[in-house]
């Protein structure tokens, strides 16, 4: 009888933990603005589909000179904005390392259902505006 109660309790806890959030796909949109002279990139992200979850373990941005971007890639730099947050909009301003260089940038969000990235945006740190075009890595 004790084992049956324990099994029912564990099953109930598992159901509660697994039903809070669903995995979401491309649920984040992003806007960029670049100060070319100072290599400053300002990015703002909006979570457009929370997948039934209103609590986020981590929010931030990542960038690299190479595409595709991934937090697990050694060439991708991560800029963490918030941990344990309930906000749907987050922003950051950071300095890109090199001038006259194209970078790929995206936002990311982690919740209990997993990790989601925004579409990738290509930006440039050149002296004249030449980047800031949404792209898929080309």
């Amino acid at each position: 009888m004790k084992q049956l109660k324990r099994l029912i309790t564990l099953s109930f806890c598992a159901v509660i933990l697994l039903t809070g959030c669903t995995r979401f796909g491309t649920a984040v949109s992003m806007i960029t603005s670049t100060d070319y002279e100072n290599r400053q990139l300002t990015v703002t992200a909006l979570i457009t589909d929370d997948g039934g979850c209103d609590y986020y373990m981590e929010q931030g941005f990542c960038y690299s000179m190479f595409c595709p971007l991934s937090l697990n890639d050694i060439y991708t730099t991560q800029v963490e904005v918030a941990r344990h947050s309930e906000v749907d909009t987050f922003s950051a301003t950071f300095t890109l390392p090199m001038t006259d260089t194209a970078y790929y940038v995206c936002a990311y969000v982690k919740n209990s259902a997993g990790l989601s990235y925004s579409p990738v945006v290509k930006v440039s740190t050149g002296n004249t505006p030449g980047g800031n075009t949404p792209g898929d890595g080309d």
Side-chain angles (χ1 to χ4, degrees):
M1 187 64 150
K2 281 185 176 183
Q3 287 181 343
L4 181 60
K5 283 184 179 180
R6 189 175 297 159
L7 180 62
I8 291 171
T9 303
L10 288 174
S11 298
F12 181 71
C13 290
V15 167
I16 290 174
L17 289 174
L18 296 175
T19 58
C21 300
T22 59
R23 181 171 298 280
F24 49 90
T26 306
V28 185
S29 64
M30 190 175 64
I31 300 170
T32 64
S33 171
T34 308
D35 173 354
Y36 299 98
E37 189 174 319
N38 297 311
R39 302 184 332 264
Q40 294 288 309
L41 177 64
T42 300
V43 284
T44 300
L46 171 66
I47 299 170
T48 57
D49 179 4
D50 63 12
C53 184
D54 59 357
Y55 177 77
Y56 310 106
M57 292 180 223
E58 187 175 324
Q59 297 165 318
F61 301 94
C62 51
Y63 66 89
S64 177
M65 293 186 308
F66 308 102
C67 200
L69 299 172
S70 168
L71 293 180
N72 298 323
D73 184 356
I74 61 170
Y75 299 109
T76 299
T77 301
Q78 176 182 350
V79 179
E80 184 180 305
V81 174
R83 280 191 167 278
H84 311 294
S85 173
E86 294 181 6
V87 299
D88 290 335
T89 303
F90 53 100
S91 299
T93 298
F94 47 92
T95 303
L96 295 169
M98 300 187 323
T99 59
D100 297 325
T101 304
Y103 289 93
Y104 299 94
V105 183
C106 72
Y108 71 91
V109 176
K110 291 181 186 178
N111 70 12
S112 61
L115 172 65
S116 181
Y117 295 97
S118 73
V120 174
V121 175
K122 184 178 178 181
V123 297
S124 173
T125 57
N127 290 328
T128 58
N132 288 354
T133 56
D136 57 356
D138 25 43

